[in-house]
Amino acid sequence: MTPLIIAIDGPAAAGKGTLAKRLAARFGLPHLDTGLLYRATGRRVLDAHGDPADPATAEAAARALRPEDLARADLRGPEADAAAASVASIPAVRAALLDFQRDFGRARGAVLDGRDIGTIVFPDAPAKLFVTASAEARGLRRWRELAGRGLAADLAEVTAQVRQRDAQDAARAAAPLRQAADALLLDTTELDADATEARALALLRERRGIVPPG
Ligand code: C5P
């Protein structure tokens, strides 16, 4: 039997990561937060005082990534967000990170969350979810996340940054953020993490006949 791939895509702070972790636990699958690959690449460039928009510098950083880079504590926050979105728009960076993502999923199946999992990384995945929410709800979530980490920020500014990053991710030529034709849409504007998980499980069961083992 082909191992199960669950592809979760959507804009920033829509609840993809939390949902991906929960589905991974339910289905007994490994989870890969693919945003970490772009964040760690951007961070490497920043460490070397390079320009995240420079293709050669960013590609070299992507090719030099080590597993421990993904566990760094400084991969979140406005600076890392912007650097990630910058390197992510470079085709050579995406190409350098593609095999890692595919190998990760092929071995035992996986839940992967990102922007292009259902469109580019695993276009044949049987289970694709496109998770979204209003920009206001996503801005508030990101603001709360920052506050929880002791980082004071202005809500309007955080919401504007979230919108700006989505616009950049959706407008780029290389693997833009978009819903795959066969992805199931899940709007989490009014849903908490429990309700989001319940809705995702219901969609997978009712629309794809996919249920967790056991
Ligand atoms: O998901 P996260 O917010 O951590 O992703 C950070 C950035 O990495 C995104 O804004 C996007 O530019 C990029 N990304 C991507 N493709 C993915 C995952 C993330 O382009 N599959």
Side-chain angles (χ1 to χ4, degrees), residues 96-118:
L97 300 175
L98 195 55
D99 283 349
F100 177 83
Q101 297 172 78
R102 289 187 172 152
D103 290 346
F104 184 94
R106 272 185 194 134
R108 295 197 283 135
V111 180
L112 299 97
D113 69 282
R115 303 292 184 290
D116 63 339
I117 309 304

Side-chain angles (χ1 to χ4, degrees), residues 34-35 38-39 76 84-85 88 94 114-117 165 169 172:
T34 64
Y38 297 93
R39 290 175 178 279
R76 306 220 172 253
R94 307 200 70 86
R115 303 292 184 290
D116 63 339
I117 309 304
R165 190 150 59 94
D169 288 342
R172 69 186 179 212

Side-chain angles (χ1 to χ4, degrees), residues 8-13 16-17 33-39 75-76 80-89 94 97 101 112-117 121 142 162 165-166 168-170 172 174-177:
I8 303 181
D9 292 304
K16 303 183 299 291
D33 169 359
T34 64
L36 287 180
L37 300 171
Y38 297 93
R39 290 175 178 279
L75 298 182
R76 306 220 172 253
D81 289 351
S86 215
V87 300
S89 70
R94 307 200 70 86
L97 300 175
Q101 297 172 78
L112 299 97
D113 69 282
R115 303 292 184 290
D116 63 339
I117 309 304
V121 183
R142 181 49 48 89
V162 162
R165 190 150 59 94
D166 293 342
Q168 189 178 347
D169 288 342
R172 69 186 179 212
L177 164 68

Side-chain angles (χ1 to χ4, degrees), residues 28-180:
L29 293 169
H31 166 228
L32 181 64
D33 169 359
T34 64
L36 287 180
L37 300 171
Y38 297 93
R39 290 175 178 279
T41 300
R43 178 50 70 187
R44 265 186 173 266
V45 175
L46 294 176
D47 284 351
H49 306 290
D51 175 5
D54 178 64
T57 309
E59 182 188 356
R63 295 202 180 279
L65 273 196
R66 295 286 165 269
E68 54 271 26
D69 290 323
L70 305 186
R72 288 177 61 155
D74 53 2
L75 298 182
R76 306 220 172 253
E79 194 194 23
D81 289 351
S86 215
V87 300
S89 70
I90 299 169
V93 167
R94 307 200 70 86
L97 300 175
L98 195 55
D99 283 349
F100 177 83
Q101 297 172 78
R102 289 187 172 152
D103 290 346
F104 184 94
R106 272 185 194 134
R108 295 197 283 135
V111 180
L112 299 97
D113 69 282
R115 303 292 184 290
D116 63 339
I117 309 304
T119 51
I120 306 282
V121 183
F122 285 105
D124 298 330
K128 297 183 188 176
L129 293 163
F130 192 81
V131 180
T132 188
S134 71
E136 290 72 24
R138 295 183 296 106
L140 185 60
R141 284 179 198 160
R142 181 49 48 89
W143 179 81
R144 285 196 179 128
E145 188 187 314
L146 290 169
R149 290 166 44 217
L151 300 170
D154 177 64
L155 175 59
E157 201 177 311
V158 172
T159 305
Q161 283 167 352
V162 162
R163 279 183 192 275
Q164 205 269 326
R165 190 150 59 94
D166 293 342
Q168 189 178 347
D169 288 342
R172 69 186 179 212
L177 164 68
R178 63 177 177 79
Q179 181 178 351

